[in-house]
Amino acid sequence: MRRVVFRMPMPALFAALTTAICATPVAWAAPGLQAIYLLPLGFGWWVVRNRTTVDEERLVARGTFGRRVIAWSEVSAIKVVARGWLSARLADGSLVRLPAVRAGHLPALSVVSGGRVPDPSAPEPDEAAPDETDATASDRVEDAAPAGTTPDSTTPDAPAGEKPTAK
């Protein structure tokens, strides 16, 4: 059985450690300021805890303080956000955030889910590899206009949007 675990990058723990070290002079400046250490400790907990585990049967989204197990049969769609974590849209319309899973992980998510999540990087059926009898890519002639020309122009020096004039 295939399984993939999407996690926060572990080097992020260095940020928590560095913050704790840099906070030391402030934390010991007055009684009670040692509570400032809770911030890097909380960030470290967040980095270690947030993850999504995906296999052929289910998704397990683990957050900072809990986890949610979702069977693939409950998932109606995957919401893709360009700059953020993906979410699973359930059959009842609710969204479940998938920690540490980004749009770049869709091909791996597609493989592990058994094709339940489409792979956007896979070629379309009409873009499939040509048969052996077809000419190679270097032997094919493109119908596109040469670089620097528009379909209306006949000279590559004509500015874009202007048609050459006859003299």
Side-chain angles (χ1 to χ4, degrees), residues 42-65:
F43 178 71
W45 175 258
W46 181 81
V47 168
V48 170
R49 184 84 175 141
N50 278 313
R51 72 180 70 161
T52 300
T53 305
V54 180
D55 60 26
E56 295 171 351
E57 299 170 6
R58 66 181 180 261
L59 297 151
V60 180
R62 181 179 289 173
T64 307
F65 298 110

Side-chain angles (χ1 to χ4, degrees), residues 109-158:
L109 194 61
S110 176
V111 169
V112 174
S113 70
R116 291 180 182 98
V117 176
D119 182 3
S121 64
E124 295 293 325
D126 56 4
E127 296 177 10
D131 293 332
E132 305 285 327
T133 58
D134 286 348
T136 62
S138 62
D139 294 336
R140 289 192 203 129
V141 176
E142 295 287 330
D143 291 334
T149 64
T150 61
D152 301 335
S153 67
T154 56
T155 61
D157 296 333

